[in-house]
Structure formats: structure tokens, C-alpha cells
Amino acid sequence: MRHLIPEFEKMKARYPAGFESSLVLPCLRRIQDDRGFVADSDIDGLVAYLGVPRVQVEEVLSFYTQLRRKPIGRWHVQTCRNVSCSMRGAERLIDHLRKKLGVAPGETTADGRFTLSTVECLGSCGTAPVVMLNDAYHENMSAEKVDALLGGLE
Amino acid sequence: MGGRKLLMTFPVTATSHTLADYRARGGYETLAKVLREKKPEDVTKEVAASGLQGRGGAAFPVGRKWQVVHLDDGQPHYLCANADEGEPGTFKDRWILENAPHLLLESMLISSYALQVRNAFVYIRGEFDLPYRRLAAAVEEAYEAGYFGTDILGSPFACDIVVYRGAGSYVCGEASALITSIEGKRGYPRNRPPRLTVKGLYQKPTVINNVESLSNVTGIVRDGAEAFKKVGTPKAPGTRLFSVSGHINKPGVYEVEGGYPFADFLRNELGGMLGGRKLKAVIPGGISAKVLTAAEIEPLPLDQPVFEAAGSTLGSGGMIVIAEGTCMVRLLQVMLRFYHHESCGQCTPCREGMGWLHRVIDRIVAGEGRLEDIETMHHVSRWNDGTTICGMGDAAGYATVAILEKFRDEFEYWIANKRSKCNGVLEVGNA
Ligand SMILES: Cc1cc2nc3c(=O)[nH]c(=O)nc-3n(C[C@H](O)[C@H](O)[C@H](O)COP(=O)(O)O)c2cc1C
Ligand code: SF4
Ligand code: FES
């Protein structure tokens, strides 16, 4: 994480003095974007940089579902299964993805390409069902569209 | 259509979210005028006089919240825009973040001036990608143009802003949890009192308002409270953004003037029901709002007091339209799985109750329900009433009871026949 410190310093400039604790979550998010997950050495580095207790960093890591301690597949396929998406076919779509990828939600394909997850409402219910592929939303999805989307990926 | 507009007043184009376009629409002129001509307390008075109510769910008057903050208390004050948008069915703040980010920023600057806030925050849900990028870009444009920082527009007013990204927790949309999240801790809601306007972020007076609530401030200050009150209804002035999803032909975000009839909205804006089906029910304001049957909602105007009198609320404006043929038992199952998953676990009735309700409904759906399960679910839902730290436990309980009471026959049928009265279907209308 050391190479990210200049970025963290820039971020800090817009916080009031004494808000170091607030930087835990944004720094963890940035570290994860960089490495794909948060490693033990990142926690050590962050504790030293921010001067916050280690337990605070660990608590934050275990509370927020988007943060992870282990690597996942190159492509993270997250399918919303809340009310509005289910009303427009999300359950069929999830079944399709299970069969297509041969894994259950929470699992990664053996070749390390895809991790399948289910998520709750993504705030995109008007274009249901919604699939998130890494950071990007893909809306109004169907089995055919998801095949086309995943088909072109490494 | 749908009455007058206060927010969706311009055509959305490839550049309508940029500073140049916003300025061409008169953007930041209200801020300049406020800094030149108004005292902070004048702004708060105007907002209070407008009768603007919160659009995040609870419809609390914005001015009344602001008036708790004492300008001369010698403490720093903070302002947070709530852009967590986690209530299932809700996606209206996203429209503002993507298409009118500068309207939110100008409104936050004017609000920060009124509340004498030096540091403002936008708490945005972690999954939002385009809305975040649009907002972050707008913040940079605004800094460059001198709207943030020190000596804003040559005045002594100074204000910085941070866009703070969440990381996938529904409960962080609750105001006190949002604050603990910004403090870099687990997003646990806090007991009140003290109110957040007395002790909020880092124990200092903090105002938290929804993105849509705040975005109305520029217009109110520019045109005056009287003009705002002429729109909508006397007890719920202004417009509302509704994000509508479910079994309709034209889902999307719509701005509607208060008092517009639901039936007209469904026919004219929403394009009617998918596949010409009949309307079965509507969850009017995010899944935590109590469901209304077709017969209950069809005669109603879209007006907060009217929906409250009908036993529900317009809540977060997240309207889910449900067609005839939808299985309400499965629908409740999806809701309870969600609440169980999102309960932060601090309060026993919420933590245990959501788990219990989820297990009971799973059992009913598995064909192993017993008739007394319906009473158990009623009973467990009511446990939460007023006994929890935040509103989630309560709301989840009320929403559950409403579905159980209004569609009791479907629960009885599944228990007696070990199968759904509606084939367990949630997706209808295309066939
Ligand atoms: C569990 C829970 C989740 C909430 N999520 C949101 C949310 O995502 N966005 C929001 O604006 N308000 C949310 N609220 C309401 C906030 O607590 C708060 O009332 C609101 O942001 C205040 O703004 P307003 O007065 O302008 O509506 C939530 C409340 C609860 C209990
Ligand atoms: S009501 Fe539920 S979500 Fe809210 S604080 Fe209590 S346990 Fe957490
Ligand atoms: S229910 Fe899927 S995005 Fe809201």
C-alpha cells in the first residue's frame, strides 16, 4: 500500500484536521481496487500510516460486504435478487448463471475467471434485472445478454 | 404531464451534467446572490417557510431540523447529503447524481452557508459507479471554478466537500449509522437522544438530509418559499421524484407534483400494466412502506398525508407495482431474506426477529408450514415496535404485517396445500 500514500495525502487535504479515522474506509477501498483484496501487510501499513488501532481496521473489514480479505475471480459477476429484480426475471437469470458457470453464488470457477455473487438492491430497479460486472452496471439483462457479455471475456 | 417540475426542468443530453451546461441554465447564480445579499438565518427561514419535507423516507420538515443548529455555539457544524439510496425499489437520487450533480452541490453550498458548515460530505453507496464518477467530476469542476475552498466568490465563506463512498451496507443509509460509517467505524446506528443535530459526526452538530431534499434548496431560495408552496398540496408542498419498478410498461424516474392522481400516473406516465394485466398491489415508498391493494391505491392522489391516512407512506418514493398473478408469499420471502441479511445485529428483537421470520417463511415455502405460523409471524413482527435503536426493525415488522393481513389467503393456501396459490411466481406480465 505504500505507493498509494501520496494519493491518500491528497484525499486527506479536504478533511478537517483530526479526521484520520475517517480515512480507514476510503483507504481500504483504494487498496482493494489496487490489489483485488486487502492483505495482512496492507492492514499493517494502514495502521502505521493512520495511527488508528488495528482492531478498528479489522472491524471495518468484517462489517462491509464489499471489502474482502481474499482474492476472487478476474470477473466478479454480481446479480441483484431483491424484489424488483426478482419481479423481472432475476431468479431465472441466477439459475442460468449457476448452470453456465458451474458454480454456486459465493464461488469462483476453477480457472479463476469468474466469481458469482448475489447482491441486494443495487438502486437500479427500473432497469431490472441488473448484473454488476466488476464495477459496471449492466441493466435490463436476460440470459442471452449475459451470455454475450461474458462470452467476450478473457 | 404529472404537473409542474422543479428538478427535471431540462432535457438530459450528453453534457447536461457538466458545469458549463449548468451555468448556462443559471447555475450558481443563486449561491452568488445568497453570499452577496443574505444572512445565513434568512436562508434557513426561507427553507422552513417553504414547508419542504425530507425525501429520504420519514418526511420530516427540513427547516425544523436545521433550526436545531445554533449558529453562535462556537462549534464546527457538519452537513451530510444522504446518497446511500439503499431502500429496495429506490433509484431516484441516482437521477440527480447522474444528471444534475451541480444542482446538489450548489444546494449543499447554500445549505452549508445557512448552517455555517465548513466541511460537507456526500455519503454515496459503494456500488454506484457512474453516479459517483459524475459527482466526483462535478466536485472537481466546482473547486476549479472557486465554488469550494476558501473565499468563495470573493466572500469570507469557506467550505470543503468530500464524497464518501460506502461499501455495501443497507443500514448505513440510516442517519446515525451513516455518521459512524464516516467516522471510519462499523456502520452501527446510535441510540437517540442526543439528536444528531446536537451531537452528530465526531460529536458535533450535524445535519443529514436526503439528496432530493437538499436539491430543492436552490430553487426555494431562488424563487422564494411562497412560489414553492404554490406547487403540490398544502401539507406536502413541492414535487416528488418517484422511482417506479415492477410490472409496468415504462419503469423509470418521474417527477410528479403532489396531488397528482395515482391512476393517471399509472396510465399516462407508467404506460399501464405489463402485458395488460390487472393491478394487484403497490408498495408505494420502498419495501419498508406498507403494501396497498389495488382497490386501496387506485382512488388516491400522490400526496404524503393521504398515503399516511391510508396506512402507508410515500416513503423514499420507491414505488413497486405488482400485477395480478404475483405470489405475495414469495415476495415476502425475498423481503425477509433481505432484512435478515441486513440487520446489523445490535438489537435482539431485530436480529432474532428477522432471523425467525425468515426461517418461518422458508418453512412455509418448503411446504412444511403450520397454520399457527401466521400468528407467529404477526407476533414476532410486532416485537420490534418501538424497541429497537433504528427504524429498520420497526419498518420491517410493519411491512410484514401488512402483507400478512392483506394477502392472508395466500399464506393459508400455501400452508394447507403445500404449494403457492399463484404458482410461486414473481415474474409475470411478459407471458
Ligand atoms: C435502515 C434505514 C435505511 C435508510 N436508508 C436511507 C437511504 O438510503 N437514503 C436516505 O436518504 N435516507 C435513508 N434513511 C433515512 C435516514 O435515516 C434519514 O431519515 C434521512 O436521510 C434524512 O433525510 P431527509 O430528512 O432529507 O429525508 C434510512 C433509514 C433507515 C432506518
Ligand atoms: S433495529 Fe436492527 S438494523 Fe437497526 S440498530 Fe437495531 S439491529 Fe441494527
Ligand atoms: S431490486 Fe435489483 S436493483 Fe433494485
Side-chain angles (χ1 to χ4, degrees):
Chain A
M1 54 127 329
R2 302 210 136 269
H3 66 287
L4 297 174
I5 286 179
E7 258 185 64
F8 295 165
E9 283 296 305
K10 246 170 120 185
M11 207 156 70
K12 205 170 168 179
R14 284 185 191 164
Y15 285 79
F19 268 53
E20 282 70 24
S21 166
S22 292
L23 294 170
V24 170
L25 183 55
C27 289
L28 286 172
R29 283 193 62 111
R30 185 65 192 87
I31 289 166
Q32 179 166 296
D33 280 347
D34 192 51
R35 189 197 288 285
F37 67 104
V38 179
D40 288 343
S41 60
D42 296 324
I43 301 178
D44 297 337
L46 205 54
V47 166
Y49 169 61
L50 293 176
V52 295
R54 189 182 174 93
V55 59
Q56 184 186 341
V57 177
E58 280 173 354
E59 277 184 4
V60 166
L61 270 165
S62 64
F63 183 80
Y64 296 94
T65 52
Q66 283 192 300
L67 299 177
R68 53 182 176 263
R69 296 295 319 276
K70 291 203 177 77
I72 56 165
R74 257 197 314 288
W75 298 100
H76 194 188
V77 185
Q78 306 192 71
T79 308
C80 173
R81 58 170 185 174
N82 211 290
V83 173
S84 305
C85 281
S86 296
M87 286 171 64
R88 298 300 289 251
E91 297 184 332
R92 273 195 301 128
L93 192 62
I94 293 168
D95 281 343
H96 175 77
L97 279 164
R98 287 175 89 116
K99 284 197 201 103
K100 181 183 171 66
L101 301 175
V103 292
E107 294 175 356
T108 302
T109 54
D111 60 7
R113 280 202 301 160
F114 296 105
T115 298
L116 181 62
S117 301
T118 53
V119 285
E120 299 299 349
C121 183
L122 291 168
S124 190
C125 330
T127 44
V130 186
V131 172
M132 226 177 135
L133 181 65
N134 291 355
D135 291 337
Y137 281 24
H138 296 269
E139 303 169 47
N140 292 309
M141 290 309 278
S142 60
E144 298 73 48
K145 281 167 123 178
V146 99
D147 285 348
L149 180 66
L150 302 189
L153 302 176
E154 291 281 296
Chain B
M1 295 257 266
R4 286 167 282 189
K5 311 278 182 239
L6 299 173
L7 301 171
M8 293 176 140
T9 50
F10 58 93
V12 171
T13 67
T15 57
S16 50
H17 58 280
T18 61
L19 178 57
D21 281 36
Y22 184 63
R23 270 206 195 118
R25 300 195 291 269
Y28 291 104
E29 282 170 17
T30 311
L31 173 70
K33 190 157 189 265
V34 164
L35 295 181
R36 243 183 0 249
E37 296 171 10
K38 287 196 199 268
K39 292 202 289 285
E41 50 272 34
D42 298 339
V43 176
T44 300
K45 258 187 224 144
E46 201 72 36
V47 170
S50 76
L52 173 67
Q53 294 167 352
R55 310 298 200 222
F60 189 82
V62 173
R64 227 196 292 157
K65 186 182 284 187
W66 289 16
Q67 281 165 337
V68 177
V69 177
H70 297 290
L71 298 184
D72 51 3
D73 60 4
Q75 303 187 68
H77 308 145
Y78 299 116
L79 172 72
C80 303
N82 191 340
D84 197 53
E85 193 132 275
E87 177 66 22
T90 315
F91 50 99
K92 48 125 190 152
D93 294 333
R94 184 178 155 193
W95 188 91
I96 296 175
L97 299 166
E98 286 181 6
N99 299 303
H102 283 289
L103 176 63
L104 173 65
L105 295 181
E106 181 175 11
S107 294
M108 288 184 73
L109 282 159
I110 295 169
S111 308
S112 294
Y113 176 72
L115 296 160
Q116 291 294 289
V117 164
R118 176 70 181 76
N119 291 92
F121 295 82
V122 181
Y123 188 93
I124 186 169
R125 62 174 302 162
E127 296 88 348
F128 271 170
D129 182 37
L130 180 62
Y132 169 74
R133 284 187 282 119
R134 286 267 170 94
L135 181 65
V139 164
E140 295 316 314
E141 283 182 316
Y143 263 103
E144 234 161 79
Y147 300 129
F148 284 100
T150 52
D151 306 320
I152 294 171
L153 299 178
S155 80
F157 177 57
C159 186
D160 278 299
I161 189 161
V162 165
V163 181
Y164 201 88
R165 302 183 81 183
S169 160
Y170 166 65
V171 81
C172 284
E174 194 276 338
S176 64
L178 186 152
I179 279 177
T180 30
S181 183
I182 299 185
E183 287 175 353
K185 303 184 201 136
R186 289 183 163 187
Y188 283 142
R190 286 184 196 163
N191 259 318
R192 271 152 286 185
R195 279 188 282 187
L196 302 175
T197 38
V198 176
K199 280 188 176 186
L201 185 60
Y202 289 96
Q203 302 296 313
K204 301 293 185 246
T206 304
V207 166
I208 297 179
N209 278 122
N210 171 264
V211 164
E212 182 190 345
S213 318
L214 287 171
S215 296
N216 274 295
V217 167
T218 299
I220 289 171
V221 173
R222 182 189 58 226
D223 302 333
E226 283 312 309
F228 184 78
K229 282 203 294 195
K230 289 205 181 92
V231 181
T233 62
K235 285 192 177 149
T239 61
R240 298 226 26 180
L241 295 182
F242 287 102
S243 60
V244 196
S245 62
H247 301 142
I248 41 169
N249 284 317
K250 292 192 205 158
V253 182
Y254 296 89
E255 182 172 18
V256 170
E257 181 171 353
Y260 188 57
F262 170 79
D264 292 352
F265 186 40
L266 179 59
R267 190 177 49 241
N268 300 338
E269 276 77 18
L270 306 181
M273 300 296 293
L274 209 56
R277 295 235 170 192
K278 273 173 72 175
L279 178 68
K280 178 171 187 170
V282 176
I283 299 177
I287 64 165
S288 304
K290 288 190 202 165
V291 68
L292 293 171
T293 62
E296 285 173 323
I297 197 171
E298 266 162 352
L300 302 184
L302 295 169
D303 183 31
Q304 178 62 14
V306 170
F307 271 67
E308 282 174 21
S312 187
T313 175
L314 293 172
S316 65
M319 194 178 272
I320 303 174
V321 183
I322 302 164
E324 207 55 85
T326 309
C327 175
M328 300 305 282
V329 180
R330 291 284 335 285
L331 192 108
L332 182 60
Q333 185 189 26
V334 171
M335 283 169 50
L336 290 174
R337 182 189 61 209
F338 168 74
Y339 286 126
H340 180 201
H341 183 255
E342 297 298 331
S343 169
C344 82
Q346 283 190 102
C347 322
T348 313
C350 173
R351 181 187 65 235
E352 300 301 319
M354 293 307 135
W356 194 349
L357 290 168
H358 184 197
R359 282 194 301 279
V360 173
I361 197 142
D362 276 357
R363 192 164 73 210
I364 294 174
V365 168
E368 291 156 16
R370 302 183 285 258
L371 213 51
E372 64 268 25
D373 283 345
I374 298 178
E375 294 330 307
T376 305
M377 289 182 78
H378 260 103
H379 181 73
V380 175
S381 299
R382 291 215 178 88
W383 265 4
N384 285 300
D385 206 346
T387 60
T388 50
I389 296 175
C390 91
M392 190 189 112
D394 274 0
Y398 297 143
T400 302
V401 169
I403 293 181
L404 281 174
E405 277 175 357
K406 294 180 187 178
F407 301 96
R408 191 182 172 101
D409 58 316
E410 292 187 34
F411 290 83
E412 288 173 349
Y413 186 96
W414 201 319
I415 291 168
N417 300 287
K418 304 193 184 304
R419 63 186 165 84
S420 168
K421 197 175 177 181
C422 310
N423 291 320
V425 169
L426 291 176
E427 187 191 3
V428 301
N430 291 322

